[in-house]
């Protein structure tokens, strides 16, 4: 089944797949392994033979400050990697990082967001359709634990919860961006 966004197709965390592994180890229940460029806390999303996720960049690859959107084939090969944003690698000590939001897809496009405020839409071949920084449009984030909102796709609308504040007057917004 496709798993188009965090919590799955029906937003309930339940998959209809059968005969899935129930135990994992370094050798048990694993079809393949792929070293990622860096840390990331996002739930991967799946459509057909493609897996989409976010990751921090790798210093050895010259991407020390990069936040990346990746597309991986279901046989474990990186199909494309795009620089989504740049900035801080850690959000609140060791509880996450700016690559924690999960992408969302409709089978034609994938939307990815990161803690720097960068939000982008890519086609399945990795071509950027559009990109902007939500902080530039809706105000600077000012939250203690970092921004890790996952874009929610519902029909032809993409929703993004923005919790930010300016001094003592904190605001919460649900923003429709596409």
């Amino acid at each position: 089944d496709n798993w188009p966004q965090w919590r799955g197709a029906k937003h309930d965390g339940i998959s209809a797949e059968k005969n899935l592994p129930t135990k994992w180890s370094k050798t048990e229940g694993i079809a393949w392994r792929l070293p990622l460029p860096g840390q990331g806390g996002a739930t991967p999303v799946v459509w057909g033979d493609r897996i989409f996720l976010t990751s921090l960049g790798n210093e050895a690859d010259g991407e020390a400050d990069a936040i990346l959107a990746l597309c991986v084939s279901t046989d474990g090969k990186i199909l494309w990697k795009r620089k989504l944003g740049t900035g801080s690698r850690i959000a609140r000590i060791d509880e996450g990082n700016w690559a924690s939001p999960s992408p969302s897809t409709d089978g034609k496009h994938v939307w990815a967001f990161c803690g720097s405020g960068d939000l982008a839409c890519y086609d399945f071949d990795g071509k950027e359709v559009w990109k902007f920084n939500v902080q530039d449009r809706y105000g600077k984030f000012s939250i203690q634990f970092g921004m890790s909102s996952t874009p929610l796709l519902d029909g032809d609308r993409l929703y993004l919860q923005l919790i930010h504040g300016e001094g003592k007057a904190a605001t919460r917004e649900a923003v429709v961006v596409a």
Side-chain angles (χ1 to χ4, degrees):
D1 282 352
N2 293 323
W3 193 266
Q5 54 196 345
W6 182 76
R7 306 268 309 145
K10 296 180 181 176
H11 313 288
D12 60 5
I14 297 173
S15 171
E17 290 289 324
K18 305 289 184 216
N19 303 315
L20 295 173
T22 58
K23 294 182 182 180
W24 294 273
S25 71
K26 289 193 178 213
T27 57
E28 186 179 20
I30 305 295
W32 50 264
R33 291 181 179 277
L34 173 69
L36 296 175
Q39 294 179 331
T43 300
V45 298
V46 180
W47 195 280
D49 62 354
R50 293 172 185 249
I51 303 167
F52 301 98
L53 62 147
T54 56
S55 172
L56 295 178
N58 184 321
E59 192 171 331
D61 294 336
E63 300 170 332
D65 68 342
I67 304 157
L68 307 170
L70 294 100
C71 178
V72 177
S73 66
T74 52
D75 63 357
K77 310 243 182 325
I78 293 180
L79 300 176
W80 53 261
K81 175 173 65 167
R82 301 292 178 262
K83 185 175 180 179
L84 177 58
T86 59
S88 175
R89 301 179 66 81
I90 297 173
R92 196 171 174 199
I93 308 169
D94 64 351
E95 292 182 7
N97 59 54
W98 282 12
S100 292
S102 301
S104 293
T105 185
D106 65 355
K108 296 177 186 167
H109 296 94
V110 60
W111 294 269
F113 178 69
C114 63
S116 63
D118 293 292
L119 175 66
C121 175
Y122 303 97
D123 69 15
F124 265 41
D125 294 323
K127 180 182 175 194
E128 185 180 297
V129 177
W130 54 258
K131 182 178 181 180
F132 69 93
N133 188 290
V134 299
Q135 292 189 91
D136 294 340
R137 193 175 286 184
Y138 301 107
K140 296 291 181 195
F141 302 149
S142 179
I143 55 176
Q144 178 181 1
F145 49 85
M147 180 56 73
S148 59
S149 180
T150 291
L152 172 69
L153 186 61
D154 184 35
D156 63 351
R157 302 265 190 231
L158 184 70
Y159 294 88
L160 186 64
Q161 180 183 17
L162 300 179
I163 303 172
H164 55 92
E166 302 276 333
K168 294 183 180 181
T171 60
R172 284 187 280 265
E173 298 177 76
V175 177
V176 180
V177 293

